[in-house]
Structure formats: structure tokens, C-alpha cells
Amino acid sequence: MASSSAFLTVHLCLLFCIVSVHVSAKIVLEDGYTVTTIVNGHKLNIYPHSVLQLPGSSDLLILDDDNSTFYTVQFPTSQDSVVKRLSGSRVGYSDGDVDSAKFRHPKSFTADLNGNVYVADRSNHVIRKISRSGVTTIAGGFSRKEGNKDGPAQNATFSNDFELAFVPSKCLLLVSDHGNKLVRQINLKKEDCTPPHQSGLGDVPAWTLGLGFGLFFLGVIYFVAVRPWINSRTGRLPDDLNRRDMEALPNQSGEDGSDTLLRHQKRSC
Ligand SMILES: *[C@@H]1O[C@H](CO)[C@@H](O)[C@H](O)[C@H]1NC(C)=O
Ligand SMILES: *[C@@H]1O[C@H](CO)[C@@H](O)[C@H](O)[C@H]1NC(C)=O
């Protein structure tokens, strides 16, 4: 009798617990979203751990932290999408050529506006950068051991569990250093926070503008000073020569404009 009432008490208690959990937890199912698989790692033996669309690119960057390998794939994906290995192969530590660089179980990465990728290379206790010119170590490079030292980035140390976030408005990286219970920041370089197409657009019109102003002032000097002087010397310019000169200004700057556009297109390719 005693044991069965104890049994009953336990059951009642369990029931109460379940009911109370159901009462206290609030779940709101919001409709209107759809889940679709876009990359299937089974055939390729890829374990995606982190994914990001690279700024200024149509590529997705996928990190497989088991194999310490980065893959890219055109996004949106299609049936013919090809997943390409970008960097990393076996676990290790090697900078330089993107193709042969090695990482040690990074789980997190972020990208700046210039398309550089920053890797929380956790088991190497360093922060790496993948850029067009190759892979470098930007922080933790001197010790490559666990620690919580701040200071010049190569002298700094990190735990073996941290993640990265990029803050474009402040041009810095945030480090959520889980192992050290710290949030840390690393300043980036100015060029890392300027999108390449914007810097291109910024450079080229400035150059065109300079040329335009130069031509304008040449024109002003010609019409204000040189032409009256020539007129006074020669009496009168032939009409067709006069017209050609008038057309020369807008034409020249127009040609430069289209040249600029071409150059810019080439750059962005
Ligand atoms: C990842 O590593 C495992 C062994 O650790 C290996 O079997 C697998 O083929 C690797 N995947 C790729 C895509 O290289
Ligand atoms: C950083 O590390 C280098 C190499 O170990 C050392 O020469 C330098 O004094 C260190 N700088 C600081 C500020 O700790």
C-alpha cells in the first residue's frame, strides 16, 4: 500500500511538472517561412559549420570545421552548382597561398566590405585573414598559445574558443572570447572597410572631375585670353576652325567618360 501511494505521488508530481512546464512555456508558431536545402554535403563529404555570403560577390563561403576547409559555391545555387574548395585541406597551420593554407578547426569567420575573410582559427589560437593576395595571421601570431593578453595584435593571445563579428560602421572586428569570458575588439585597416567598387567609383570620377576642370579652365583661358589675342593678331578665325574648337571640349571629356566606364567595368570583373 505504502509503495503504491508513493508511486501515485511520483506520478502526480510528474504530471504536475509537465502541466506547469506547459503552462509557463509560451510557443508562438508564426507561419510564412519555407526551408529549402541548397547545398547537400553528403556526396562531397562536407560538414558545413558556418556559412556567409561574401560581400560584393555572389559566392557563398562555407566552412567545414571537421576538415578545416573553406568551400565556395555560386549563390543562388542550382542543380549544376559546383562546390569548390577555396582554402584549407588537412588540419594544420600554414599561411601564404590560399590554395595550400591550413587551419586548425576554425568554427567561425566573418568578412569585411572588401571581401577579406577573418577566421577564428581556434585551435591555433590565432586570427587569420584570407585575402586576394593570400592567407596571413593578423593576431596571436607571436605566441600561438592560449591566453588573454591584449595589445599589439600579434602579441595578443586568445582562448581556444572564440568567434568573430565584423562591425562595418566602426571598422573593427569583435571577438567573443568565450574561453576567457571576454569581448574584445581589433581595429581593422581603413581599406578593409571600403567596398572595392565604391573605392573604384570614388577614385575614377575624382580623376575625371580633375580632367574636366582642367579642360574647363583651359577653355576659359582660351576664350578669355588667348582667342581675343589671336583674333587681335589674325583679325578673324575661320568659321570651321572655330566650330571644331567649340566641339573639342565636350567631345574630349565625353570620350574620357566612356573610357572611365570601361576601365571601371574591367576592374569590377
Ligand atoms: C574530411 O575528413 C575525413 C577524415 O577526417 C575524410 O574522410 C573526408 O573525406 C574529408 N572530407 C573531404 C571533403 O576532404
Ligand atoms: C611583442 O612580441 C615581440 C616578439 O616576441 C616582442 O619583441 C615585442 O617587444 C612585444 N611587444 C609588446 C608590446 O609586448
Side-chain angles (χ1 to χ4, degrees):
M1 274 308 270
S3 75
S4 83
S5 78
F7 189 70
L8 194 71
T9 317
V10 167
H11 266 233
L12 276 176
C13 187
L14 266 178
L15 192 69
F16 180 73
C17 288
I18 289 165
V19 167
S20 68
V21 163
H22 270 252
V23 166
S24 63
K26 188 175 177 183
I27 296 170
V28 179
L29 303 181
E30 184 180 341
D31 276 333
Y33 300 92
T34 308
V35 178
T36 316
T37 295
I38 58 166
V39 173
N40 187 335
H42 281 100
K43 268 187 269 172
L44 302 158
N45 212 358
I46 293 173
Y47 291 84
H49 195 279
S50 191
V51 66
L52 200 70
Q53 174 163 9
L54 289 176
S57 152
S58 60
D59 278 349
L60 285 186
L61 190 60
I62 302 169
L63 167 62
D64 174 348
D65 88 294
D66 287 330
N67 291 48
S68 299
T69 306
F70 289 89
Y71 297 92
T72 57
V73 64
Q74 273 266 320
F75 183 65
T77 54
S78 70
Q79 290 211 312
D80 316 315
S81 285
V82 180
V83 178
K84 294 183 205 147
R85 190 183 67 84
L86 174 75
S87 193
S89 43
R90 293 191 316 275
V91 166
Y93 188 176
S94 174
D95 280 331
D97 192 36
V98 173
D99 186 51
S100 57
K102 287 190 179 67
F103 305 84
R104 198 178 299 277
H105 302 301
K107 280 206 160 78
S108 152
F109 66 91
T110 188
D112 67 23
L113 299 178
N114 208 0
N116 299 311
V117 174
Y118 300 90
V119 181
D121 194 354
R122 308 188 322 161
S123 299
N124 282 328
H125 311 108
V126 294
I127 296 172
R128 314 277 294 278
K129 177 180 179 183
I130 308 175
S131 70
R132 284 166 205 84
S133 51
V135 179
T136 53
T137 299
I138 66 157
F142 282 147
S143 130
R144 303 192 292 275
K145 291 200 173 67
E146 262 187 86
N148 59 7
K149 217 168 102 183
D150 282 341
Q154 298 297 1
N155 294 65
T157 51
F158 302 90
S159 72
N160 60 6
D161 190 4
F162 62 96
E163 302 210 348
L164 298 174
F166 171 57
V167 186
S169 61
K170 305 269 191 301
C171 195
L172 53 82
L173 282 183
L174 289 177
V175 186
S176 53
D177 194 338
H178 181 267
N180 283 323
K181 293 189 185 165
L182 300 171
V183 175
R184 305 164 77 184
Q185 73 172 50
I186 303 172
N187 67 294
L188 292 180
K189 295 172 184 166
K190 211 176 147 201
E191 64 263 28
D192 298 331
C193 304
T194 320
H197 62 278
Q198 245 181 41
S199 78
L201 275 176
D203 287 342
V204 172
W207 174 81
T208 324
L209 221 65
L211 192 81
F213 270 115
L215 285 173
F216 176 73
F217 278 114
L218 276 180
V220 167
I221 290 167
Y222 173 75
F223 279 104
V224 168
V226 181
R227 206 170 79 124
W229 181 76
I230 292 175
N231 281 353
S232 72
R233 296 288 302 258
T234 62
R236 193 169 68 89
L237 275 173
D239 264 0
D240 59 344
L241 184 59
N242 201 353
R243 211 177 309 122
R244 223 188 307 141
D245 281 341
M246 295 277 285
E247 281 167 4
L249 284 174
N251 247 359
Q252 250 173 333
S253 59
E255 273 163 21
D256 283 315
S258 59
D259 184 30
T260 300
L261 207 72
L262 263 174
R263 283 158 49 105
H264 176 237
Q265 273 169 350
K266 270 187 214 145
R267 269 185 180 205
S268 58
C269 286

